[in-house]
Amino acid sequence: MSPVWSLGAGLLLLLLWVRHRGLEAVLVHHRWVFVCLFLLPLSILFDVYYQLRAWAVWRLHSAPRQHAQRVRHIQAQVREWKKEGSKRYMCTGRPGWLTVSLRVGKYKKIHKNIMINLMDVLEVDSERQVVRVEPLVTMGQLTAHLNPMGWTIPVVPELDDLTVGGLIMGTGIESSSHIYGLFQHTCVAYELVLADGSLVRCSPTENSDLFYAVPWSCGTLGFLVAAEIKMIPAKKYVKIHYEPVRGLQKICEKFTEESKKKENSFVEGLVYSLEEAVIMTGVLTDEAEQSKINRIGNYYKPWFFKHVEKYLKADRTGVEYIPSRQYYHRHTRSIFWELQDIIPFGNNPIFRYLFGWMVPPKISLLKLTQGEAIRKLYEQHHVVQDMLVPMKSLEKSIQTFHVDLNVYPLWLCPFILPNNPGMVHPKGDEAELYVDIGAYGEPKRKQFEARASMRQMEKFVRSVHGFQMLYADCYMTREEFWDMFDGSLYHKLREQMNCKDAFPEVYDKICKAARH
């Protein structure tokens, strides 16, 4: 039988099976069929298009020349909104399905959409060690651009498709954050179009109140049109040390101890059960033992969290050298461990070698095609949450996650939180060491109920003066929300800059209690 006939017969059998089971049942319970046949090829086409576009823009040096014109177009749209009587709130015109957040932004349908087509690297200033970028530049795009020039940014949030704008208006973190803080703390200036259509630049010394109020504001103070981010010299490899640790108290003690060491370029923990974890520390280096180089980013390699688990199962420590850019995006191929729920056989060696080059599917395409049935299923039986708590509360926090969610692995990522003005800062007057606890997957807790369980988690996080990342579902009341976050500077600026008629309050934009 010829390949064409074989393919045709296979597709016919697939269609008959889909018809027998029902399309909705297949999409919900066998989503891998749709993902493998359609979304993976589409994701490749997306990547090729954006890579070619970024290359062409940089080669033609068109980004800096066109940036001012594009910003003027945004200003014109805002002024037109004012002429129309400011009847609706404004928001960015980027479709909600294109964002990495799993939340469905229904406000896009009723607010005035301002089109913002800003997705280019504008300038690399080696003297100042600063890169100036537009808000839709992604982490994958930025590291691909900077690394060949010998530069990187201090905090490279994990997933390729995370954008600079999202990481500033929301937040971002990585395993270098115990030294540099959150993504916002590596930024030195922002440029925004405000509610009156004016363009303003802010920094720690210029319009400083606005500079400190922008992070976590979710686009409710103005439209970000450019950002300046610190750069540091890039090195070829990250030397990683893997250490399995057993016993919750020992896990927390070891993780805290390593997070306080500034000689560690990177610190990360993967908690596989209440009593088992692997603590990883890394150091940037240009030298490597050839026999210990592990190119973990190659498409046929095991998913990183599964690779790490081998050290736990073998109960042994280990040292490897991972190429630096592959380290920065080590969890991208498996979307941390979310992909195992979508493609259960995705880490099988046969699948990796034959189709691993197509992985992962774009999160945006997964959102676009999920349908109402899958969305409700995920909302009720799936959790994607990052809670930021003081390091001193780590042991109690993991116990709470275990009781309320029972989701593993848990991601542990330490960060230093300076006492800057704004929505997020420590309770005291000094910088404090915090940890991001990331829970992604299907809760194993009996009688898990999304709203009740998450409200319990949010209450605990407030009690230890922690913070919930705002990309995820939030169930707090308005009073509870502003008990968690410091709204003093934020509300002051919304009054001063006449934002109340232009943008919704951040709570109304992201919290379920306000949207349902």
Side-chain angles (χ1 to χ4, degrees):
M1 186 180 290
S2 71
V4 175
W5 280 104
S6 298
L7 179 62
L11 287 174
L12 179 61
L13 289 172
L14 175 63
L15 289 172
L16 290 172
W17 177 67
V18 169
R19 184 178 179 184
H20 172 69
R21 294 298 305 272
L23 180 60
E24 185 172 290
V26 170
L27 289 177
V28 172
H29 301 293
H30 305 278
R31 200 177 183 201
W32 62 267
V33 176
F34 182 73
V35 170
C36 291
L37 289 179
F38 299 102
L39 296 194
L40 288 181
L42 278 176
S43 297
I44 292 293
L45 293 176
F46 257 62
D47 279 337
V48 169
Y49 167 75
Y50 281 110
Q51 287 170 11
L52 288 175
R53 184 195 176 280
W55 176 84
V57 165
W58 187 251
R59 293 291 295 179
L60 296 172
H61 303 288
S62 61
R65 291 198 303 270
Q66 293 183 0
H67 174 73
Q69 179 182 340
R70 290 170 179 163
V71 171
R72 284 194 295 271
H73 177 60
I74 295 167
Q75 292 177 281
Q77 292 178 77
V78 173
R79 288 170 182 144
E80 182 64 26
W81 165 81
K82 287 190 71 177
K83 284 182 182 178
E84 292 171 354
S86 311
K87 296 175 183 177
R88 296 180 290 165
Y89 288 138
M90 292 183 288
C91 67
T92 63
R94 191 185 189 210
W97 62 269
L98 274 175
T99 63
V100 172
S101 168
L102 295 180
R103 186 173 56 245
V104 179
K106 295 181 180 179
Y107 61 88
K108 297 272 187 183
K109 297 178 181 178
I110 58 174
H111 292 177
K112 171 71 173 178
N113 282 214
I114 304 298
M115 301 311 298
I116 297 178
N117 184 28
L118 300 172
M119 57 182 69
D120 298 315
V121 178
L122 297 172
E123 180 185 6
V124 177
D125 189 333
S126 299
E127 287 189 14
R128 291 176 58 217
Q129 296 193 14
V130 165
V131 57
R132 182 167 173 257
V133 300
E134 293 179 328
L136 295 181
V137 167
T138 66
M139 290 299 99
Q141 177 186 352
L142 189 55
T143 55
H145 188 94
L146 292 179
N147 287 176
M149 304 170 69
W151 295 104
T152 187
I153 55 176
V155 175
V156 184
E158 178 61 45
L159 301 178
D160 280 9
D161 290 341
L162 292 169
T163 64
V164 168
L167 295 168
I168 291 170
M169 291 295 185
T171 193
I173 192 171
E174 238 306 317
S175 52
S176 57
S177 288
H178 66 295
I179 299 173
Y180 299 105
L182 299 170
F183 186 83
Q184 69 204 55
H185 301 127
T186 69
C187 297
V188 297
Y190 309 127
E191 296 168 39
L192 296 100
V193 171
L194 303 182
D196 61 359
S198 63
L199 176 65
V200 64
R201 183 179 186 274
C202 56
S203 72
T205 57
E206 180 183 3
N207 298 309
S208 61
D209 277 358
L210 181 58
F211 176 80
Y212 290 116
V214 162
W216 295 75
S217 66
C218 298
T220 60
L221 293 174
F223 295 109
L224 185 71
V225 294
E228 295 178 22
I229 309 167
K230 295 175 187 174
M231 299 189 304
I232 58 174
K235 294 193 176 182
K236 292 180 181 179
Y237 301 100
V238 177
K239 181 182 180 181
I240 295 289
H241 179 263
Y242 304 89
E243 182 169 347
V245 185
R246 286 180 166 80
L248 181 57
Q249 184 177 348
K250 289 184 179 179
I251 289 169
C252 296
E253 287 175 353
K254 179 65 175 176
F255 186 76
T256 302
E257 175 190 339
E258 296 297 342
S259 299
K260 291 179 178 178
K261 295 179 181 177
K262 300 301 183 184
E263 60 266 31
N264 288 328
S265 304
F266 307 98
V267 180
E268 175 183 28
L270 295 185
V271 182
Y272 290 91
S273 75
L274 185 60
E275 301 291 333
E276 297 177 306
V278 177
I279 308 300
M280 288 162 280
T281 57
V283 178
L284 285 163
T285 178
D286 283 322
E287 306 297 329
E289 298 176 49
Q290 291 300 310
S291 61
K292 293 183 179 180
I293 293 176
N294 183 2
R295 303 186 186 280
I296 195 69
N298 290 350
Y299 70 88
Y300 51 83
K301 288 285 189 174
W303 290 346
F304 185 70
F305 79 99
K306 286 294 186 183
H307 171 68
V308 174
E309 191 176 22
K310 291 177 182 176
Y311 291 95
L312 182 66
K313 290 181 175 179
D315 197 24
R316 65 180 178 86
T317 61
V319 172
E320 289 183 332
Y321 295 82
I322 300 177
S324 58
R325 187 165 185 265
Q326 294 188 11
Y327 173 81
Y328 289 136
H329 302 288
R330 63 199 176 281
H331 291 297
T332 294
R333 281 193 302 123
S334 56
I335 317 178
F336 281 86
W337 30 93
E338 287 278 65
L339 198 56
Q340 66 181 350
D341 292 332
I342 299 170
I343 307 176
F345 46 83
N347 194 48
N348 183 284
I350 296 174
F351 181 86
R352 292 201 315 265
Y353 275 88
L354 292 178
F355 304 108
W357 56 277
M358 303 173 76
V359 168
K362 290 286 185 187
I363 295 175
S364 54
L365 293 179
L366 289 170
K367 282 179 65 178
L368 179 64
T369 59
Q370 68 181 355
E372 190 63 19
I374 295 176
R375 190 190 67 77
K376 287 182 178 179
L377 188 71
Y378 262 70
E379 186 175 298
Q380 293 301 321
H381 303 287
H382 201 87
V383 63
V384 180
Q385 291 283 347
D386 284 85
M387 299 294 188
L388 314 180
V389 298
M391 186 67 78
K392 61 191 177 188
S393 304
L394 177 58
E395 184 173 351
K396 188 178 179 182
S397 299
I398 293 177
Q399 289 172 334
T400 302
F401 270 70
H402 179 79
V403 171
D404 290 344
L405 301 178
N406 195 8
V407 170
Y408 293 99
L410 292 175
W411 188 53
L412 302 184
C413 185
F415 68 100
I416 192 71
L417 184 60
N419 187 33
N420 292 341
M423 286 176 60
V424 172
H425 54 75
K427 192 172 185 178
D429 295 330
E430 302 295 326
E432 185 174 349
L433 190 62
Y434 270 61
V435 56
D436 173 8
I437 305 178
Y440 324 119
E442 184 178 345
K444 299 298 189 291
R445 180 201 175 198
K446 292 180 180 178
Q447 289 91 39
F448 171 80
E449 198 280 314
R451 185 179 184 278
S453 297
M454 287 316 307
R455 280 190 54 75
Q456 189 67 24
M457 287 293 306
E458 291 165 349
K459 181 180 179 181
F460 166 77
V461 172
R462 290 196 305 274
S463 74
V464 297
H465 198 75
F467 308 96
Q468 180 181 26
M469 281 199 186
L470 300 184
Y471 76 88
D473 284 334
C474 173
Y475 294 86
M476 289 182 281
T477 65
R478 192 180 304 272
E479 292 72 26
E480 290 166 343
F481 182 85
W482 290 117
D483 181 42
M484 177 179 284
F485 298 98
D486 182 353
S488 54
L489 180 61
Y490 172 78
H491 290 302
K492 170 188 163 187
L493 285 176
R494 277 178 61 82
E495 284 281 355
Q496 287 181 358
M497 301 191 305
N498 299 316
C499 292
K500 288 192 171 183
D501 294 329
F503 308 104
E505 185 184 296
V506 61
Y507 175 82
D508 295 310
K509 193 170 182 179
I510 64 99
C511 283
K512 275 187 168 293
R515 293 184 287 117
H516 294 280

